[in-house]
């Protein structure tokens, strides 16, 4: 199981389109835990200073036949994020997606 983190708004679009579409580089980025996937949304957490930010983590069940499509990527600094990043080559269909979990971040006032 790998995990993809995104904004709540993007998660709604993902489930509406029945797949996670890759970025311009042809990859869908993931991490080995939900907590690590959330690390890649750090710039969004910082945006919580302007109010509330909701992140969604989607578990991804990688089929045995698709394991070759998963690669370790090196465009995210492991030192900065404190975890490794993985990429899935191509679209990830709805049947590979688990139940999403939302995480809410708010700016502490005071």
């Amino acid at each position: 199981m790998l995990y993809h983190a995104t904004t709540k708004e993007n998660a709604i679009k993902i489930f509406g389109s029945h797949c996670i579409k890759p970025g311009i580089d042809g990859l869908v980025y993931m991490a080995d835990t939900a907590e690590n996937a959330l690390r890649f949304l750090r710039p969004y957490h910082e945006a919580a200073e302007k109010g509330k930010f909701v992140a969604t983590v989607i578990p991804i069940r990688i089929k045995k036949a698709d394991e070759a499509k998963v690669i370790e990527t090196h465009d995210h600094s492991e030192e900065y994020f404190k975890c490794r990043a993985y990429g899935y080559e191509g679209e990830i269909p709805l049947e590979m997606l688990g139940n999403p979990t939302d995480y809410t971040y708010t700016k502490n006032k005071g």
Side-chain angles (χ1 to χ4, degrees):
M1 187 83 66
L2 292 171
Y3 300 85
H4 176 74
T6 189
T7 63
K8 177 71 176 176
E9 294 80 13
N10 284 344
I12 291 167
K13 292 176 187 174
I14 286 168
F15 284 93
S17 67
H18 303 284
C19 69
I20 302 178
K21 296 179 182 178
I24 196 163
D25 59 0
L27 297 174
V28 173
Y29 288 93
M30 305 168 293
D32 59 349
T33 67
E35 294 77 19
N36 284 344
L38 286 166
R39 292 174 190 253
F40 297 114
L41 294 182
R42 183 175 287 171
Y44 292 101
H45 301 179
E46 293 165 0
E49 292 179 11
K50 298 176 183 162
K52 184 170 79 171
F53 168 70
V54 181
T56 301
V57 175
I58 304 168
I60 301 171
R61 295 179 296 271
I62 304 298
K63 301 174 189 175
K64 197 80 160 155
D66 292 330
E67 287 178 355
K69 293 181 180 180
V70 177
I71 59 169
E72 184 174 355
T73 64
H74 300 285
D75 65 326
H76 291 76
S77 169
E78 186 175 342
E79 183 178 322
Y80 176 78
F81 288 106
K82 308 289 189 238
C83 65
R84 292 181 172 168
Y86 300 90
Y88 183 91
E89 297 173 326
E91 286 187 0
I92 300 177
L94 186 64
E95 63 265 11
M96 291 174 61
L97 307 182
N99 293 326
T101 302
D102 290 341
Y103 296 82
T104 302
Y105 299 90
T106 55
K107 167 81 171 149
N108 291 335
K109 308 233 188 248

